[in-house]
Amino acid sequence: MSTGTTDATRVADAARAVVREHDPREVPVRELLAACFDAGLAWVHFPVGLGGLGLSRGLQAVADGVLQEAGGPVPFALNPIGIGMAAPTLVEHAQTAELKREWLRPLASTEHIWCQLFSEPGAGSDLAGLATSAVRDGDEWVVTGQKVWTTLAHRARWALLLARTDPDLPKHKGLSYFVLDMHADGVETRPLRQMTGQAEFNEVHLDGARIPDAHRLGALGDGWRVAMTTLMNERSSIGASGSRRGAGTIGEAVALWAARPDRHTPVLRDRLAALWLRAEAQRLTSERARAAATSAGPGPEGSVGKLVGAELNKEVYEFCMDLLGPEAVLYSDYTMQDVTRVADMDAYRGPLQQRFLRSRANSIEGGTSEVLRNILGERVLGLPGDLRADAGRPWKEIPRG
């Protein structure tokens, strides 16, 4: 028996043991997910004691398969920023093992929701141009500024924060990375209502909020490198495809097609077949990447998956709207709901019309499709980069408007 097979058996056995002792259909979700953390199944490639088993990243699919087949939840859907982005950043860059465990266990159980304070009104695609400042005051940092498009900030207990600690350095080099208590004084969250009627995004105002230096991730001025850990994992987690054939967005389109034979045409049938093939190709590509994954960080396939998935999602929902015909314009309810308080995620996501509107954000959140194309072209394919007039200039000398 190969080592890989032995490790896969070990992971599967551990997952079955959790299911026997914490039946997903009977115990609270937090209890089940905390048990998964203690068993090393939250992130199997993390170190032992921090929610992992020190095994290959690709074996996470084994644990997830056993747990979800038994009726367990998809943790990423419950705490997306925490599970997909905060956890790998914390385990790599937090200053002490004690802090890592203190943050990771309630994160994994979804007791603590996390958010990501990166984008600003004047620094979206050009994230390194951000203006939020962090000024040292003894053993603390005083943070002032504004963040925007912050998913789940209104429910978050903790936040990943990128702030400028040295305006005299070039924009990529004067940044540091922190964990911010969202309940701290000086932190104000304001919802941003979307065209769907929901308000999952927020703007966050920071007015003298204080952060202990112990909550700094990585070295002073090394914030951009730490942020790359977050962003690469963000794109990988968003771009990951479901492991079942025909699941996800394309499954919704197929179900709609089956339910509406009165709307069938040869042209729409061809479109659906082409979309299904593209979705299956993306799923297989994601599965191949997961199977080949090691304990190392994600590679460029994360950006590929995110880019392809975002554009495909939009096209699938456009197909659904075309199939519905005049019914596509019907939109009866703009009542806001809180994603973390709705047991049925499909109910939160709303009807197809709402999902179509929400899909427009797919090519913006987690890195716009345009930025991802630049990243793949420059850093993967080695194509010439864009001209950057601000390269090497101190951030405080760069014109901002």
Side-chain angles (χ1 to χ4, degrees), residues 61 236 238-251 274-292 301 304-306 308-309 312-313:
S236 294
I238 292 176
S241 177
S243 59
R244 291 186 297 108
R245 175 179 292 186
T249 305
I250 192 63
L275 289 169
W276 193 93
L277 289 171
R278 287 173 57 192
E280 180 65 2
Q282 184 201 15
R283 183 188 75 85
L284 293 173
T285 300
S286 296
E287 286 299 295
R288 185 167 62 250
R290 292 182 71 179
E301 65 274 2
V304 173
K306 197 277 178 184
V308 172
L312 182 59
N313 271 356

PDB file of all heavy atoms in Angstrom, residues 61 236 238-251 274-292 301 304-306 308-309 312-313:
ATOM      1  N   ALA A  61     -10.189  16.740   0.269  1.00  0.00           N
ATOM      2  CA  ALA A  61     -11.385  16.263  -0.428  1.00  0.00           C
ATOM      3  C   ALA A  61     -11.895  14.961   0.167  1.00  0.00           C
ATOM      4  O   ALA A  61     -13.099  14.686   0.142  1.00  0.00           O
ATOM      5  CB  ALA A  61     -11.075  16.086  -1.918  1.00  0.00           C
ATOM      6  N   SER A 236      -8.163  30.774  -4.872  1.00  0.00           N
ATOM      7  CA  SER A 236      -8.289  29.320  -4.932  1.00  0.00           C
ATOM      8  C   SER A 236      -9.607  28.864  -4.340  1.00  0.00           C
ATOM      9  O   SER A 236     -10.279  27.987  -4.886  1.00  0.00           O
ATOM     10  CB  SER A 236      -7.128  28.659  -4.186  1.00  0.00           C
ATOM     11  OG  SER A 236      -5.909  28.916  -4.836  1.00  0.00           O
ATOM     12  N   ILE A 238     -12.442  30.640  -3.932  1.00  0.00           N
ATOM     13  CA  ILE A 238     -13.574  31.077  -4.751  1.00  0.00           C
ATOM     14  C   ILE A 238     -13.641  30.269  -6.032  1.00  0.00           C
ATOM     15  O   ILE A 238     -14.721  29.897  -6.510  1.00  0.00           O
ATOM     16  CB  ILE A 238     -13.462  32.586  -5.070  1.00  0.00           C
ATOM     17  CG1 ILE A 238     -13.645  33.410  -3.787  1.00  0.00           C
ATOM     18  CG2 ILE A 238     -14.523  32.996  -6.097  1.00  0.00           C
ATOM     19  CD1 ILE A 238     -13.451  34.897  -3.989  1.00  0.00           C
ATOM     20  N   GLY A 239     -12.478  29.947  -6.615  1.00  0.00           N
ATOM     21  CA  GLY A 239     -12.451  29.258  -7.896  1.00  0.00           C
ATOM     22  C   GLY A 239     -12.650  27.766  -7.805  1.00  0.00           C
ATOM     23  O   GLY A 239     -12.831  27.103  -8.824  1.00  0.00           O
ATOM     24  N   ALA A 240     -12.626  27.211  -6.581  1.00  0.00           N
ATOM     25  CA  ALA A 240     -12.770  25.766  -6.442  1.00  0.00           C
ATOM     26  C   ALA A 240     -14.147  25.329  -6.906  1.00  0.00           C
ATOM     27  O   ALA A 240     -15.156  25.957  -6.612  1.00  0.00           O
ATOM     28  CB  ALA A 240     -12.545  25.360  -4.987  1.00  0.00           C
ATOM     29  N   SER A 241     -14.189  24.220  -7.622  1.00  0.00           N
ATOM     30  CA  SER A 241     -15.454  23.695  -8.135  1.00  0.00           C
ATOM     31  C   SER A 241     -15.953  22.590  -7.233  1.00  0.00           C
ATOM     32  O   SER A 241     -15.185  21.947  -6.528  1.00  0.00           O
ATOM     33  CB  SER A 241     -15.249  23.152  -9.549  1.00  0.00           C
ATOM     34  OG  SER A 241     -16.428  22.575 -10.041  1.00  0.00           O
ATOM     35  N   GLY A 242     -17.253  22.371  -7.231  1.00  0.00           N
ATOM     36  CA  GLY A 242     -17.821  21.252  -6.496  1.00  0.00           C
ATOM     37  C   GLY A 242     -17.299  19.937  -7.034  1.00  0.00           C
ATOM     38  O   GLY A 242     -16.929  19.815  -8.198  1.00  0.00           O
ATOM     39  N   SER A 243     -17.246  18.927  -6.181  1.00  0.00           N
ATOM     40  CA  SER A 243     -16.645  17.657  -6.578  1.00  0.00           C
ATOM     41  C   SER A 243     -17.626  16.753  -7.314  1.00  0.00           C
ATOM     42  O   SER A 243     -17.225  15.747  -7.883  1.00  0.00           O
ATOM     43  CB  SER A 243     -16.111  16.921  -5.340  1.00  0.00           C
ATOM     44  OG  SER A 243     -17.155  16.688  -4.411  1.00  0.00           O
ATOM     45  N   ARG A 244     -18.910  17.059  -7.303  1.00  0.00           N
ATOM     46  CA  ARG A 244     -19.900  16.215  -7.966  1.00  0.00           C
ATOM     47  C   ARG A 244     -20.212  16.733  -9.364  1.00  0.00           C
ATOM     48  O   ARG A 244     -20.395  17.929  -9.568  1.00  0.00           O
ATOM     49  CB  ARG A 244     -21.183  16.143  -7.146  1.00  0.00           C
ATOM     50  CG  ARG A 244     -21.038  15.385  -5.833  1.00  0.00           C
ATOM     51  CD  ARG A 244     -22.378  15.221  -5.145  1.00  0.00           C
ATOM     52  NE  ARG A 244     -22.961  16.513  -4.766  1.00  0.00           N
ATOM     53  CZ  ARG A 244     -24.018  17.069  -5.359  1.00  0.00           C
ATOM     54  NH1 ARG A 244     -24.582  16.451  -6.393  1.00  0.00           N
ATOM     55  NH2 ARG A 244     -24.475  18.221  -4.957  1.00  0.00           N
ATOM     56  N   ARG A 245     -20.269  15.822 -10.296  1.00  0.00           N
ATOM     57  CA  ARG A 245     -20.605  16.198 -11.670  1.00  0.00           C
ATOM     58  C   ARG A 245     -22.004  16.800 -11.716  1.00  0.00           C
ATOM     59  O   ARG A 245     -22.954  16.277 -11.143  1.00  0.00           O
ATOM     60  CB  ARG A 245     -20.544  14.968 -12.571  1.00  0.00           C
ATOM     61  CG  ARG A 245     -20.986  15.243 -14.000  1.00  0.00           C
ATOM     62  CD  ARG A 245     -20.884  14.018 -14.872  1.00  0.00           C
ATOM     63  NE  ARG A 245     -19.492  13.630 -15.090  1.00  0.00           N
ATOM     64  CZ  ARG A 245     -19.118  12.651 -15.914  1.00  0.00           C
ATOM     65  NH1 ARG A 245     -20.029  11.959 -16.571  1.00  0.00           N
ATOM     66  NH2 ARG A 245     -17.845  12.360 -16.058  1.00  0.00           N
ATOM     67  N   GLY A 246     -22.113  17.904 -12.411  1.00  0.00           N
ATOM     68  CA  GLY A 246     -23.415  18.537 -12.573  1.00  0.00           C
ATOM     69  C   GLY A 246     -23.897  19.325 -11.373  1.00  0.00           C
ATOM     70  O   GLY A 246     -25.044  19.784 -11.357  1.00  0.00           O
ATOM     71  N   ALA A 247     -23.053  19.507 -10.354  1.00  0.00           N
ATOM     72  CA  ALA A 247     -23.462  20.263  -9.172  1.00  0.00           C
ATOM     73  C   ALA A 247     -23.250  21.752  -9.393  1.00  0.00           C
ATOM     74  O   ALA A 247     -22.664  22.184 -10.382  1.00  0.00           O
ATOM     75  CB  ALA A 247     -22.680  19.786  -7.951  1.00  0.00           C
ATOM     76  N   GLY A 248     -23.729  22.542  -8.458  1.00  0.00           N
ATOM     77  CA  GLY A 248     -23.503  23.973  -8.493  1.00  0.00           C
ATOM     78  C   GLY A 248     -24.387  24.709  -9.480  1.00  0.00           C
ATOM     79  O   GLY A 248     -25.515  24.305  -9.763  1.00  0.00           O
ATOM     80  N   THR A 249     -23.862  25.792 -10.003  1.00  0.00           N
ATOM     81  CA  THR A 249     -24.628  26.673 -10.871  1.00  0.00           C
ATOM     82  C   THR A 249     -25.173  25.947 -12.096  1.00  0.00           C
ATOM     83  O   THR A 249     -26.345  26.129 -12.470  1.00  0.00           O
ATOM     84  CB  THR A 249     -23.748  27.851 -11.317  1.00  0.00           C
ATOM     85  OG1 THR A 249     -23.227  28.514 -10.174  1.00  0.00           O
ATOM     86  CG2 THR A 249     -24.547  28.843 -12.138  1.00  0.00           C
ATOM     87  N   ILE A 250     -24.351  25.109 -12.711  1.00  0.00           N
ATOM     88  CA  ILE A 250     -24.823  24.423 -13.919  1.00  0.00           C
ATOM     89  C   ILE A 250     -25.961  23.468 -13.575  1.00  0.00           C
ATOM     90  O   ILE A 250     -26.859  23.234 -14.397  1.00  0.00           O
ATOM     91  CB  ILE A 250     -23.654  23.673 -14.615  1.00  0.00           C
ATOM     92  CG1 ILE A 250     -24.077  23.225 -16.017  1.00  0.00           C
ATOM     93  CG2 ILE A 250     -23.187  22.502 -13.786  1.00  0.00           C
ATOM     94  CD1 ILE A 250     -24.404  24.357 -16.957  1.00  0.00           C
ATOM     95  N   GLY A 251     -25.961  22.931 -12.365  1.00  0.00           N
ATOM     96  CA  GLY A 251     -27.058  22.080 -11.937  1.00  0.00           C
ATOM     97  C   GLY A 251     -28.375  22.831 -11.870  1.00  0.00           C
ATOM     98  O   GLY A 251     -29.447  22.269 -12.179  1.00  0.00           O
ATOM     99  N   ALA A 274     -23.203  23.349 -24.267  1.00  0.00           N
ATOM    100  CA  ALA A 274     -21.872  23.964 -24.267  1.00  0.00           C
ATOM    101  C   ALA A 274     -21.480  24.434 -22.862  1.00  0.00           C
ATOM    102  O   ALA A 274     -20.332  24.258 -22.431  1.00  0.00           O
ATOM    103  CB  ALA A 274     -21.839  25.135 -25.248  1.00  0.00           C
ATOM    104  N   LEU A 275     -22.444  25.006 -22.135  1.00  0.00           N
ATOM    105  CA  LEU A 275     -22.167  25.457 -20.768  1.00  0.00           C
ATOM    106  C   LEU A 275     -21.868  24.274 -19.856  1.00  0.00           C
ATOM    107  O   LEU A 275     -20.969  24.342 -19.006  1.00  0.00           O
ATOM    108  CB  LEU A 275     -23.357  26.259 -20.227  1.00  0.00           C
ATOM    109  CG  LEU A 275     -23.573  27.641 -20.853  1.00  0.00           C
ATOM    110  CD1 LEU A 275     -24.920  28.203 -20.437  1.00  0.00           C
ATOM    111  CD2 LEU A 275     -22.452  28.598 -20.461  1.00  0.00           C
ATOM    112  N   TRP A 276     -22.603  23.174 -20.032  1.00  0.00           N
ATOM    113  CA  TRP A 276     -22.368  21.996 -19.201  1.00  0.00           C
ATOM    114  C   TRP A 276     -20.965  21.441 -19.433  1.00  0.00           C
ATOM    115  O   TRP A 276     -20.261  21.080 -18.499  1.00  0.00           O
ATOM    116  CB  TRP A 276     -23.414  20.918 -19.503  1.00  0.00           C
ATOM    117  CG  TRP A 276     -23.444  19.815 -18.485  1.00  0.00           C
ATOM    118  CD1 TRP A 276     -24.227  19.722 -17.377  1.00  0.00           C
ATOM    119  CD2 TRP A 276     -22.610  18.629 -18.489  1.00  0.00           C
ATOM    120  NE1 TRP A 276     -23.955  18.576 -16.689  1.00  0.00           N
ATOM    121  CE2 TRP A 276     -22.959  17.883 -17.341  1.00  0.00           C
ATOM    122  CE3 TRP A 276     -21.618  18.154 -19.336  1.00  0.00           C
ATOM    123  CZ2 TRP A 276     -22.358  16.675 -17.025  1.00  0.00           C
ATOM    124  CZ3 TRP A 276     -20.993  16.943 -19.024  1.00  0.00           C
ATOM    125  CH2 TRP A 276     -21.365  16.218 -17.888  1.00  0.00           C
ATOM    126  N   LEU A 277     -20.547  21.413 -20.691  1.00  0.00           N
ATOM    127  CA  LEU A 277     -19.211  20.913 -21.004  1.00  0.00           C
ATOM    128  C   LEU A 277     -18.127  21.809 -20.384  1.00  0.00           C
ATOM    129  O   LEU A 277     -17.120  21.317 -19.863  1.00  0.00           O
ATOM    130  CB  LEU A 277     -19.018  20.828 -22.512  1.00  0.00           C
ATOM    131  CG  LEU A 277     -19.818  19.723 -23.222  1.00  0.00           C
ATOM    132  CD1 LEU A 277     -19.715  19.887 -24.733  1.00  0.00           C
ATOM    133  CD2 LEU A 277     -19.312  18.348 -22.793  1.00  0.00           C
ATOM    134  N   ARG A 278     -18.332  23.110 -20.432  1.00  0.00           N
ATOM    135  CA  ARG A 278     -17.358  24.027 -19.833  1.00  0.00           C
ATOM    136  C   ARG A 278     -17.321  23.865 -18.311  1.00  0.00           C
ATOM    137  O   ARG A 278     -16.240  23.890 -17.702  1.00  0.00           O
ATOM    138  CB  ARG A 278     -17.697  25.471 -20.200  1.00  0.00           C
ATOM    139  CG  ARG A 278     -17.393  25.814 -21.656  1.00  0.00           C
ATOM    140  CD  ARG A 278     -17.912  27.195 -22.007  1.00  0.00           C
ATOM    141  NE  ARG A 278     -17.352  28.234 -21.138  1.00  0.00           N
ATOM    142  CZ  ARG A 278     -17.821  29.476 -21.094  1.00  0.00           C
ATOM    143  NH1 ARG A 278     -18.853  29.827 -21.863  1.00  0.00           N
ATOM    144  NH2 ARG A 278     -17.268  30.361 -20.291  1.00  0.00           N
ATOM    145  N   ALA A 279     -18.503  23.692 -17.706  1.00  0.00           N
ATOM    146  CA  ALA A 279     -18.550  23.498 -16.258  1.00  0.00           C
ATOM    147  C   ALA A 279     -17.858  22.200 -15.859  1.00  0.00           C
ATOM    148  O   ALA A 279     -17.153  22.140 -14.843  1.00  0.00           O
ATOM    149  CB  ALA A 279     -20.009  23.490 -15.777  1.00  0.00           C
ATOM    150  N   GLU A 280     -18.050  21.159 -16.654  1.00  0.00           N
ATOM    151  CA  GLU A 280     -17.408  19.883 -16.357  1.00  0.00           C
ATOM    152  C   GLU A 280     -15.897  19.987 -16.535  1.00  0.00           C
ATOM    153  O   GLU A 280     -15.130  19.421 -15.753  1.00  0.00           O
ATOM    154  CB  GLU A 280     -17.985  18.788 -17.254  1.00  0.00           C
ATOM    155  CG  GLU A 280     -17.395  17.406 -17.042  1.00  0.00           C
ATOM    156  CD  GLU A 280     -17.684  16.821 -15.674  1.00  0.00           C
ATOM    157  OE1 GLU A 280     -18.392  17.460 -14.858  1.00  0.00           O
ATOM    158  OE2 GLU A 280     -17.183  15.713 -15.390  1.00  0.00           O
ATOM    159  N   ALA A 281     -15.462  20.708 -17.551  1.00  0.00           N
ATOM    160  CA  ALA A 281     -14.019  20.902 -17.740  1.00  0.00           C
ATOM    161  C   ALA A 281     -13.420  21.655 -16.563  1.00  0.00           C
ATOM    162  O   ALA A 281     -12.322  21.310 -16.082  1.00  0.00           O
ATOM    163  CB  ALA A 281     -13.769  21.660 -19.046  1.00  0.00           C
ATOM    164  N   GLN A 282     -14.136  22.667 -16.073  1.00  0.00           N
ATOM    165  CA  GLN A 282     -13.636  23.397 -14.912  1.00  0.00           C
ATOM    166  C   GLN A 282     -13.592  22.496 -13.683  1.00  0.00           C
ATOM    167  O   GLN A 282     -12.633  22.524 -12.908  1.00  0.00           O
ATOM    168  CB  GLN A 282     -14.509  24.623 -14.628  1.00  0.00           C
ATOM    169  CG  GLN A 282     -13.963  25.466 -13.472  1.00  0.00           C
ATOM    170  CD  GLN A 282     -14.998  26.357 -12.831  1.00  0.00           C
ATOM    171  OE1 GLN A 282     -16.197  26.177 -13.041  1.00  0.00           O
ATOM    172  NE2 GLN A 282     -14.561  27.304 -12.036  1.00  0.00           N
ATOM    173  N   ARG A 283     -14.632  21.680 -13.487  1.00  0.00           N
ATOM    174  CA  ARG A 283     -14.670  20.781 -12.335  1.00  0.00           C
ATOM    175  C   ARG A 283     -13.499  19.802 -12.366  1.00  0.00           C
ATOM    176  O   ARG A 283     -12.807  19.596 -11.368  1.00  0.00           O
ATOM    177  CB  ARG A 283     -15.986  20.002 -12.318  1.00  0.00           C
ATOM    178  CG  ARG A 283     -16.151  19.078 -11.109  1.00  0.00           C
ATOM    179  CD  ARG A 283     -17.382  18.207 -11.251  1.00  0.00           C
ATOM    180  NE  ARG A 283     -17.176  17.140 -12.219  1.00  0.00           N
ATOM    181  CZ  ARG A 283     -16.602  15.964 -11.929  1.00  0.00           C
ATOM    182  NH1 ARG A 283     -16.175  15.714 -10.700  1.00  0.00           N
ATOM    183  NH2 ARG A 283     -16.464  15.044 -12.866  1.00  0.00           N
ATOM    184  N   LEU A 284     -13.250  19.203 -13.519  1.00  0.00           N
ATOM    185  CA  LEU A 284     -12.160  18.238 -13.637  1.00  0.00           C
ATOM    186  C   LEU A 284     -10.800  18.899 -13.442  1.00  0.00           C
ATOM    187  O   LEU A 284      -9.883  18.313 -12.849  1.00  0.00           O
ATOM    188  CB  LEU A 284     -12.227  17.539 -14.995  1.00  0.00           C
ATOM    189  CG  LEU A 284     -13.442  16.613 -15.196  1.00  0.00           C
ATOM    190  CD1 LEU A 284     -13.495  16.115 -16.636  1.00  0.00           C
ATOM    191  CD2 LEU A 284     -13.404  15.443 -14.226  1.00  0.00           C
ATOM    192  N   THR A 285     -10.663  20.131 -13.942  1.00  0.00           N
ATOM    193  CA  THR A 285      -9.412  20.861 -13.744  1.00  0.00           C
ATOM    194  C   THR A 285      -9.178  21.130 -12.260  1.00  0.00           C
ATOM    195  O   THR A 285      -8.060  20.973 -11.748  1.00  0.00           O
ATOM    196  CB  THR A 285      -9.434  22.186 -14.523  1.00  0.00           C
ATOM    197  OG1 THR A 285      -9.591  21.910 -15.916  1.00  0.00           O
ATOM    198  CG2 THR A 285      -8.145  22.970 -14.311  1.00  0.00           C
ATOM    199  N   SER A 286     -10.245  21.522 -11.556  1.00  0.00           N
ATOM    200  CA  SER A 286     -10.129  21.773 -10.120  1.00  0.00           C
ATOM    201  C   SER A 286      -9.803  20.495  -9.366  1.00  0.00           C
ATOM    202  O   SER A 286      -8.979  20.488  -8.443  1.00  0.00           O
ATOM    203  CB  SER A 286     -11.432  22.378  -9.581  1.00  0.00           C
ATOM    204  OG  SER A 286     -11.674  23.642 -10.156  1.00  0.00           O
ATOM    205  N   GLU A 287     -10.456  19.398  -9.747  1.00  0.00           N
ATOM    206  CA  GLU A 287     -10.183  18.120  -9.086  1.00  0.00           C
ATOM    207  C   GLU A 287      -8.741  17.679  -9.314  1.00  0.00           C
ATOM    208  O   GLU A 287      -8.074  17.153  -8.414  1.00  0.00           O
ATOM    209  CB  GLU A 287     -11.146  17.058  -9.609  1.00  0.00           C
ATOM    210  CG  GLU A 287     -12.570  17.207  -9.079  1.00  0.00           C
ATOM    211  CD  GLU A 287     -12.622  17.077  -7.567  1.00  0.00           C
ATOM    212  OE1 GLU A 287     -12.317  15.987  -7.043  1.00  0.00           O
ATOM    213  OE2 GLU A 287     -12.938  18.079  -6.897  1.00  0.00           O
ATOM    214  N   ARG A 288      -8.243  17.882 -10.523  1.00  0.00           N
ATOM    215  CA  ARG A 288      -6.862  17.515 -10.820  1.00  0.00           C
ATOM    216  C   ARG A 288      -5.895  18.356  -9.985  1.00  0.00           C
ATOM    217  O   ARG A 288      -4.896  17.839  -9.457  1.00  0.00           O
ATOM    218  CB  ARG A 288      -6.582  17.694 -12.308  1.00  0.00           C
ATOM    219  CG  ARG A 288      -5.185  17.225 -12.719  1.00  0.00           C
ATOM    220  CD  ARG A 288      -5.043  17.125 -14.228  1.00  0.00           C
ATOM    221  NE  ARG A 288      -5.221  18.405 -14.884  1.00  0.00           N
ATOM    222  CZ  ARG A 288      -6.273  18.733 -15.648  1.00  0.00           C
ATOM    223  NH1 ARG A 288      -7.234  17.861 -15.843  1.00  0.00           N
ATOM    224  NH2 ARG A 288      -6.347  19.925 -16.214  1.00  0.00           N
ATOM    225  N   ALA A 289      -6.204  19.650  -9.846  1.00  0.00           N
ATOM    226  CA  ALA A 289      -5.341  20.523  -9.043  1.00  0.00           C
ATOM    227  C   ALA A 289      -5.368  20.107  -7.578  1.00  0.00           C
ATOM    228  O   ALA A 289      -4.337  20.098  -6.901  1.00  0.00           O
ATOM    229  CB  ALA A 289      -5.788  21.977  -9.201  1.00  0.00           C
ATOM    230  N   ARG A 290      -6.560  19.743  -7.074  1.00  0.00           N
ATOM    231  CA  ARG A 290      -6.659  19.317  -5.675  1.00  0.00           C
ATOM    232  C   ARG A 290      -5.897  18.011  -5.459  1.00  0.00           C
ATOM    233  O   ARG A 290      -5.226  17.830  -4.439  1.00  0.00           O
ATOM    234  CB  ARG A 290      -8.125  19.135  -5.277  1.00  0.00           C
ATOM    235  CG  ARG A 290      -8.922  20.424  -5.210  1.00  0.00           C
ATOM    236  CD  ARG A 290     -10.344  20.178  -4.762  1.00  0.00           C
ATOM    237  NE  ARG A 290     -10.420  19.821  -3.351  1.00  0.00           N
ATOM    238  CZ  ARG A 290     -11.555  19.569  -2.715  1.00  0.00           C
ATOM    239  NH1 ARG A 290     -12.708  19.609  -3.374  1.00  0.00           N
ATOM    240  NH2 ARG A 290     -11.567  19.274  -1.445  1.00  0.00           N
ATOM    241  N   ALA A 291      -6.019  17.088  -6.395  1.00  0.00           N
ATOM    242  CA  ALA A 291      -5.350  15.798  -6.243  1.00  0.00           C
ATOM    243  C   ALA A 291      -3.831  15.946  -6.260  1.00  0.00           C
ATOM    244  O   ALA A 291      -3.114  15.189  -5.595  1.00  0.00           O
ATOM    245  CB  ALA A 291      -5.792  14.850  -7.346  1.00  0.00           C
ATOM    246  N   ALA A 292      -3.352  16.933  -7.014  1.00  0.00           N
ATOM    247  CA  ALA A 292      -1.909  17.134  -7.129  1.00  0.00           C
ATOM    248  C   ALA A 292      -1.358  18.054  -6.053  1.00  0.00           C
ATOM    249  O   ALA A 292      -0.148  18.236  -5.945  1.00  0.00           O
ATOM    250  CB  ALA A 292      -1.579  17.714  -8.506  1.00  0.00           C
ATOM    251  N   GLU A 301      -3.151  28.048 -10.571  1.00  0.00           N
ATOM    252  CA  GLU A 301      -4.436  27.444 -10.928  1.00  0.00           C
ATOM    253  C   GLU A 301      -5.586  28.076 -10.148  1.00  0.00           C
ATOM    254  O   GLU A 301      -6.733  28.049 -10.585  1.00  0.00           O
ATOM    255  CB  GLU A 301      -4.404  25.934 -10.685  1.00  0.00           C
ATOM    256  CG  GLU A 301      -4.251  25.511  -9.232  1.00  0.00           C
ATOM    257  CD  GLU A 301      -2.810  25.444  -8.778  1.00  0.00           C
ATOM    258  OE1 GLU A 301      -1.911  25.763  -9.568  1.00  0.00           O
ATOM    259  OE2 GLU A 301      -2.580  25.077  -7.604  1.00  0.00           O
ATOM    260  N   VAL A 304      -6.695  30.921 -12.234  1.00  0.00           N
ATOM    261  CA  VAL A 304      -7.386  30.394 -13.412  1.00  0.00           C
ATOM    262  C   VAL A 304      -8.800  29.963 -13.048  1.00  0.00           C
ATOM    263  O   VAL A 304      -9.778  30.295 -13.718  1.00  0.00           O
ATOM    264  CB  VAL A 304      -6.594  29.207 -14.011  1.00  0.00           C
ATOM    265  CG1 VAL A 304      -7.399  28.548 -15.130  1.00  0.00           C
ATOM    266  CG2 VAL A 304      -5.248  29.659 -14.519  1.00  0.00           C
ATOM    267  N   GLY A 305      -8.919  29.199 -11.945  1.00  0.00           N
ATOM    268  CA  GLY A 305     -10.237  28.726 -11.531  1.00  0.00           C
ATOM    269  C   GLY A 305     -11.189  29.850 -11.187  1.00  0.00           C
ATOM    270  O   GLY A 305     -12.371  29.802 -11.526  1.00  0.00           O
ATOM    271  N   LYS A 306     -10.666  30.869 -10.507  1.00  0.00           N
ATOM    272  CA  LYS A 306     -11.514  31.998 -10.139  1.00  0.00           C
ATOM    273  C   LYS A 306     -11.985  32.746 -11.376  1.00  0.00           C
ATOM    274  O   LYS A 306     -13.159  33.096 -11.503  1.00  0.00           O
ATOM    275  CB  LYS A 306     -10.748  32.930  -9.194  1.00  0.00           C
ATOM    276  CG  LYS A 306     -11.636  33.911  -8.433  1.00  0.00           C
ATOM    277  CD  LYS A 306     -11.968  35.147  -9.227  1.00  0.00           C
ATOM    278  CE  LYS A 306     -12.884  36.091  -8.480  1.00  0.00           C
ATOM    279  NZ  LYS A 306     -13.280  37.266  -9.287  1.00  0.00           N
ATOM    280  N   VAL A 308     -12.186  31.672 -14.599  1.00  0.00           N
ATOM    281  CA  VAL A 308     -13.095  30.856 -15.397  1.00  0.00           C
ATOM    282  C   VAL A 308     -14.440  30.716 -14.700  1.00  0.00           C
ATOM    283  O   VAL A 308     -15.507  30.845 -15.326  1.00  0.00           O
ATOM    284  CB  VAL A 308     -12.478  29.471 -15.671  1.00  0.00           C
ATOM    285  CG1 VAL A 308     -13.494  28.542 -16.331  1.00  0.00           C
ATOM    286  CG2 VAL A 308     -11.240  29.607 -16.545  1.00  0.00           C
ATOM    287  N   GLY A 309     -14.413  30.468 -13.388  1.00  0.00           N
ATOM    288  CA  GLY A 309     -15.656  30.281 -12.661  1.00  0.00           C
ATOM    289  C   GLY A 309     -16.536  31.515 -12.655  1.00  0.00           C
ATOM    290  O   GLY A 309     -17.761  31.425 -12.801  1.00  0.00           O
ATOM    291  N   LEU A 312     -18.033  32.000 -16.146  1.00  0.00           N
ATOM    292  CA  LEU A 312     -18.976  30.927 -16.436  1.00  0.00           C
ATOM    293  C   LEU A 312     -20.268  31.103 -15.653  1.00  0.00           C
ATOM    294  O   LEU A 312     -21.369  30.911 -16.191  1.00  0.00           O
ATOM    295  CB  LEU A 312     -18.338  29.570 -16.113  1.00  0.00           C
ATOM    296  CG  LEU A 312     -19.196  28.333 -16.406  1.00  0.00           C
ATOM    297  CD1 LEU A 312     -19.584  28.262 -17.879  1.00  0.00           C
ATOM    298  CD2 LEU A 312     -18.438  27.070 -15.988  1.00  0.00           C
ATOM    299  N   ASN A 313     -20.160  31.477 -14.384  1.00  0.00           N
ATOM    300  CA  ASN A 313     -21.361  31.696 -13.582  1.00  0.00           C
ATOM    301  C   ASN A 313     -22.270  32.742 -14.216  1.00  0.00           C
ATOM    302  O   ASN A 313     -23.494  32.582 -14.273  1.00  0.00           O
ATOM    303  CB  ASN A 313     -20.983  32.142 -12.170  1.00  0.00           C
ATOM    304  CG  ASN A 313     -20.784  30.974 -11.226  1.00  0.00           C
ATOM    305  OD1 ASN A 313     -20.998  29.822 -11.593  1.00  0.00           O
ATOM    306  ND2 ASN A 313     -20.372  31.271 -10.014  1.00  0.00           N
TER     307      ASN A 313
END
